[in-house]
Amino acid sequence: MPGAASFAFRKATGPRPAFIFMKLKIIQGGRLALFTWMVCSAAVLHADIKLPAIFSDHAVLQKGSKVPVWGKAAPGEDVSVAIGGVTAKTRTRGDGRWAVRLDLLRLGPGPFEMEIKGRNTMVIHDVLIGEVWLASGQSNMEWWLKNNRADKQEVADSENNQLRQFLVNQAMVPERADEMAGGWSVAGPQTSGGFSAVGYYFGKALQKELRTPVAIINASRGRTGIEGWISEDGLAHDDELAAAARRYKAERETPAAPQADAAVVKKPKEPEQIGGYLFNGMIAPLVPYAIRGVIWYQGETNAGRAWQYRTAFPLLIQDWRAQWGQGDFPFYFCQLANHGGKSREHMESGWSEIREAQSKALELLNTGQAVLIDIGEAADVHPRNKRDVGDRLSRLALAQTYGRKIVYSGPVYAGMTVAGETVKLHFEHAEGGLVARPLPGSYKPSSVEEKEVPLMRNSSDSELEGFEICGEDRKWMWALARIKGDEIEVWSPAVTEPVAVRYAWAMNPTCNLYNGAGLPASPFRTDTFPVSTVDVRY
């Protein structure tokens, strides 16, 4: 009959109904209409608390007085976070977001359970409190510990509940993301192989010395330029970089239709090469997770634009510090290792120039550089010796961040004087004295092959290798060099009125200057002559 209705109910299973589906049949005018209504029970008239992936089982929180924890829930919902007797409360904003800060200064390492309570409750298990470092960059930071045959035993012996990694899943997106995928791992034979090798050795050294939990947040991706890791806000501080990033983004998101008569169709840049895309997908979602500092290994992709790196690299450091709002946190980075064939020619090199650009970043407060000029491989851009890389980065952190009395740098050029036909060079960080390390007769271009080749010497009669000298004509000559007390004397019979000296100024130089602590001298030049990449732009 008209207006008659029949009802069918389906109840959800479980201790209490979450949803009730009501099917309503109404017959009107000889037609049957079917409507399905979903009625929410009182138990689900809210949004469950949601946390970013980094707040999950096995997490390590940075020891500090204002440690942020954040997430989402229903608008206006009361939320509390508790760990080890420390509790913080808040109420969600209109968009459902909430954030608290915890005072964890007086809490021990744990493990703890962290309880987040609103209208529902979440518990994160096995949470430690210690030291958290962000490890980022391109493939040499991404390089897994298990990729190195020499580290096989290291993986087998790596059981350490106090050493952990959060691996950020790789993502490149045009707009800033709120969330990312990833997960925590505790160091052990089944997991450590997937750690960043550099991050693992860095973290292991810190954990051993500090006797506290150490975590590495691994946000890295191979073949990436520095521009992709800088935020849109950061890029805006440089008109040239910002304009290029906007152009590449527009080409990527709205590619021009190919013309029928076009001989070449321009291919948009890959996402990882576009300014801001890596930051948006892999760094922004981490902010403001409390960290002690950053370790960075990147630059190979930017070697062809080394002069511009003098602007881009400090920009990235300042951008990340501004994003986190923790002040000038420590930022320690790797100078590019030696790579490629050796040469007797005096050539300009993008790799030399980018090493100089990296060194320039030391003008920023609370930075440090691990020099790797002696551990690279001629035939492989991925040197397998990540143990020394991690060790040199950890020395910087232990000395400059944690106050340990250890040598953390090799000799660094500090000035020069000219005395007739000789240039005298002065250095900082010559602890234990300047040392000319003996050079071998041969070397392996690749550590994974047994083949050895003779070592090319450019100044075979010299105590020190790797020095060049020139006069006003700017014609570089291989120089003789020797240690004289706390100075180095450099000269050449072919240069009677010297004006400038360079050291290890090549993609893969032969060089042997160290200090008494066994750390290599950083490549340098005393001149300010124009370089080969000065006009190359992003």
Side-chain angles (χ1 to χ4, degrees):
M1 58 183 300
S6 63
F7 299 89
F9 294 89
R10 183 176 67 193
K11 295 185 178 181
T13 60
R16 58 180 179 177
F19 299 99
I20 298 175
F21 293 90
M22 182 172 67
K23 293 182 180 179
L24 175 62
K25 299 177 183 179
I26 302 178
I27 302 173
Q28 290 182 337
R31 293 186 178 181
L32 175 67
L34 177 64
F35 298 89
T36 302
W37 294 350
M38 183 176 73
V39 182
C40 296
S41 74
V44 290
L45 288 174
H46 68 277
D48 286 347
I49 288 175
K50 294 182 179 179
L51 296 171
I54 199 163
F55 295 109
S56 53
D57 290 354
H58 314 302
V60 180
L61 301 177
Q62 174 62 47
K63 194 176 187 69
S65 60
K66 297 179 179 180
V67 178
V69 179
W70 69 95
K72 296 179 181 179
E77 184 171 340
D78 291 325
V79 176
S80 67
V81 179
I83 181 172
V86 175
T87 302
K89 297 180 179 180
T90 188
R91 176 170 292 179
T92 62
R93 305 195 303 254
D95 60 1
R97 298 176 186 272
W98 60 267
V100 299
R101 292 185 179 272
L102 301 170
D103 185 353
L104 305 181
L105 269 180
R106 287 177 291 277
L107 286 189
F112 298 99
E113 289 190 344
M114 185 163 70
E115 182 180 82
I116 304 92
K117 182 180 294 186
R119 292 175 184 160
N120 69 308
T121 299
M122 295 185 67
V123 178
I124 302 174
H125 305 281
D126 188 31
V127 178
L128 301 182
I129 297 172
E131 297 298 298
V132 181
W133 287 80
L134 172 59
S136 189
Q138 58 181 107
S139 56
N140 272 303
M141 183 62 83
E142 180 185 14
W143 192 262
W144 290 347
L145 186 63
K146 67 183 179 183
N147 288 348
N148 296 344
R149 290 184 300 183
D151 295 324
K152 183 177 180 180
Q153 191 60 46
E154 181 69 42
V155 173
D157 297 337
S158 64
E159 190 75 38
N160 187 350
N161 183 56
Q162 303 289 291
L163 178 60
R164 302 182 178 189
Q165 175 186 261
F166 183 85
L167 179 61
V168 177
N169 286 17
Q170 296 176 350
M172 298 79 67
V173 293
E175 305 300 332
R176 184 174 181 135
D178 287 335
E179 299 178 2
M180 47 73 188
W184 286 98
S185 297
V186 179
Q190 304 304 316
T191 57
S192 297
F195 279 42
S196 156
V198 171
Y200 171 85
Y201 283 117
F202 171 81
K204 179 183 177 182
L206 293 192
Q207 199 282 314
K208 181 179 179 180
E209 174 64 26
L210 301 175
R211 299 296 179 184
T212 193
V214 174
I216 301 299
I217 301 174
N218 179 4
S220 53
R221 179 179 170 89
R223 294 188 297 178
T224 53
I226 195 171
E227 297 82 7
W229 294 102
I230 304 173
S231 75
E232 184 177 340
D233 292 338
L235 291 167
H237 289 280
D238 184 271
D239 292 342
E240 194 171 56
L241 291 173
R246 288 193 298 268
R247 182 172 70 254
Y248 297 144
K249 180 179 180 179
E251 292 172 356
R252 181 75 192 180
E253 300 305 315
T254 55
Q259 302 298 315
D261 58 347
V264 177
V265 178
K266 185 176 181 180
K267 183 179 179 181
K269 283 188 176 291
E270 295 300 318
E272 60 264 35
Q273 299 303 329
I274 301 177
Y277 273 45
L278 288 154
F279 176 89
N280 289 338
M282 299 179 67
I283 301 300
L286 296 172
V287 179
Y289 196 84
I291 58 174
R292 178 65 70 190
V294 173
I295 55 173
W296 174 260
Y297 194 158
Q298 190 276 335
E300 296 91 340
T301 295
N302 284 86
R305 296 182 278 110
W307 185 261
Q308 198 174 39
Y309 205 82
R310 297 160 74 105
T311 299
F313 189 28
L315 188 61
L316 176 135
I317 297 171
Q318 293 167 317
D319 178 38
W320 286 16
R321 287 172 170 174
Q323 295 288 336
W324 256 270
Q326 291 185 197
D328 294 333
F329 55 59
F331 197 106
Y332 303 134
F333 54 91
C334 297
Q335 189 186 73
L336 288 194
N338 52 307
H339 172 60
K342 292 184 177 291
S343 175
R344 289 191 172 89
E345 301 298 320
H346 302 275
M347 297 185 298
E348 298 297 333
S349 163
W351 279 56
S352 298
E353 294 165 25
I354 205 162
R355 291 185 191 117
E356 181 179 65
Q358 291 171 319
S359 296
K360 285 286 185 181
L362 294 172
E363 295 172 4
L364 295 177
L365 292 174
N366 216 5
T367 56
Q369 176 175 249
V371 175
L372 311 180
I373 197 65
D374 59 336
I375 63 173
E377 300 189 19
D380 197 331
V381 74
H382 302 117
R384 298 303 198 268
N385 180 3
K386 298 296 195 265
R387 187 184 299 267
D388 282 345
V389 181
D391 174 71
R392 292 175 188 181
L393 286 169
S394 71
R395 283 173 171 267
L396 290 164
L398 289 171
Q400 298 189 173
T401 301
Y402 300 108
R404 299 301 195 265
K405 302 298 183 182
I406 61 172
V407 179
Y408 61 87
S409 173
V412 175
Y413 169 71
M416 64 172 275
T417 56
V418 178
E421 298 181 0
T422 300
V423 174
K424 295 183 178 181
L425 303 173
H426 318 291
F427 293 85
E428 298 174 341
H429 299 290
E431 290 90 342
L434 298 172
V435 175
R437 179 169 289 188
L439 288 164
S442 62
Y443 72 101
K444 291 182 178 181
S446 171
S447 63
V448 299
E449 298 179 4
E450 294 303 318
K451 177 184 176 182
E452 291 197 7
V453 298
L455 179 67
M456 181 182 295
R457 298 286 301 270
N458 293 312
S459 301
S460 56
D461 295 331
S462 179
E463 179 183 21
L464 289 165
E465 272 276 13
F467 284 91
E468 302 169 80
I469 193 169
C470 78
E472 290 288 352
D473 58 4
R474 300 186 183 181
K475 292 183 179 179
W476 293 101
M477 306 296 294
W478 293 112
L480 298 169
R482 66 187 175 194
I483 298 170
K484 198 73 175 290
D486 58 358
E487 298 178 335
I488 291 176
E489 295 181 342
V490 184
W491 74 98
S492 169
V495 181
T496 57
E497 296 182 4
V499 299
V501 168
R502 291 179 175 181
Y503 172 72
W505 196 260
M507 188 171 182
N508 187 5
T510 299
C511 51
N512 65 331
L513 176 59
Y514 289 74
N515 62 14
L519 295 175
S522 179
F524 66 90
R525 63 182 179 129
T526 68
D527 63 275
T528 57
F529 304 157
V531 294
S532 64
T533 60
V534 68
D535 295 321
V536 185
R537 291 294 180 266
Y538 173 58

